[in-house]
Amino acid sequence: MTPASTSRLRRCNFAPGEAAALAGIWRRGWASAHRDVQVLEPIAHWLARVQAEFQPPCEVLVIERQGQLLAFMALHPARRYVAQLFVDPHLQGQGFGRLLLDEASRRMPAGWRLHVATANSSAQRFYTRYGLVRGAVDRHPGTGRERVEYHCLPREN
């Protein structure tokens, strides 16, 4: 039995404390992927982003075990886009990311895309192993950081 099999995937209902838990996972995951950054924004920055960016039509899915949030994905099904996907760094490699991507494919069977920072080589390896197709490199419109687009091609019938 894998750790992912003992967890539960559900839609985030933003119960008390959930936005803060998401912000913490996002901050820790981002810091882990961007070790070259000299100054990491305080948790209040990440919480404000959760509150601003994870509003409808964005859908947020979480993985939890025994009431503790372990990973999340923010997606925009109408745009066929995964906006954020983070697994708490100490839990990576246990199947949670795959579980979230499988759910993205289930919800968006016509295919979807996401962006990842070019500096985040571990995420790029994960997306490639999952079977996503690497696309164009550009810059994030807000931060200017270089990023690469990955595509999940439509399912064949």
Side-chain angles (χ1 to χ4, degrees):
M1 183 168 6
T2 65
S5 68
T6 62
S7 59
R8 177 171 84 113
L9 174 68
R10 66 170 173 83
R11 192 170 187 156
C12 184
N13 57 20
F14 291 95
E18 283 190 343
L22 293 175
I25 293 168
W26 197 356
R27 184 178 191 262
R28 289 187 297 277
W30 196 91
S32 176
H34 297 89
R35 296 185 187 276
D36 62 321
V37 172
Q38 300 296 316
V39 177
L40 182 61
E41 299 291 344
I43 192 69
H45 165 85
W46 301 95
L47 182 57
R49 286 192 65 187
V50 166
Q51 293 166 336
E53 296 175 29
F54 295 177
Q55 298 298 316
C58 180
E59 295 180 25
V60 180
L61 303 174
V62 297
I63 297 176
E64 70 175 353
R65 183 173 39 223
Q66 298 175 340
Q68 180 182 3
L69 299 188
L70 311 173
F72 75 90
M73 174 176 63
L75 62 147
H76 295 272
R79 293 176 31 215
R80 296 179 18 207
Y81 188 68
V82 173
Q84 302 293 341
L85 188 151
F86 282 93
V87 176
D88 223 333
H90 73 283
L91 299 169
Q92 291 176 358
Q94 298 183 32
F96 299 117
R98 179 167 290 280
L99 184 64
L100 289 168
L101 292 180
D102 287 348
E103 185 64 15
S105 292
R106 189 185 74 70
R107 289 173 176 256
M108 298 178 286
W112 48 270
R113 64 191 176 87
L114 59 77
H115 286 94
V116 63
T118 55
N120 191 346
S121 57
S122 62
Q124 290 183 62
R125 283 190 302 275
F126 168 68
Y127 294 136
T128 299
R129 279 193 315 269
Y130 186 81
L132 300 185
V133 177
R134 185 182 171 101
V137 174
D138 67 2
R139 296 211 173 264
H140 186 280
T143 67
R145 287 185 171 271
E146 191 175 76
R147 64 187 187 169
V148 61
E149 187 172 66
Y150 280 85
H151 303 268
C152 180
L153 302 176
R155 293 182 185 172
E156 293 187 22
N157 295 327

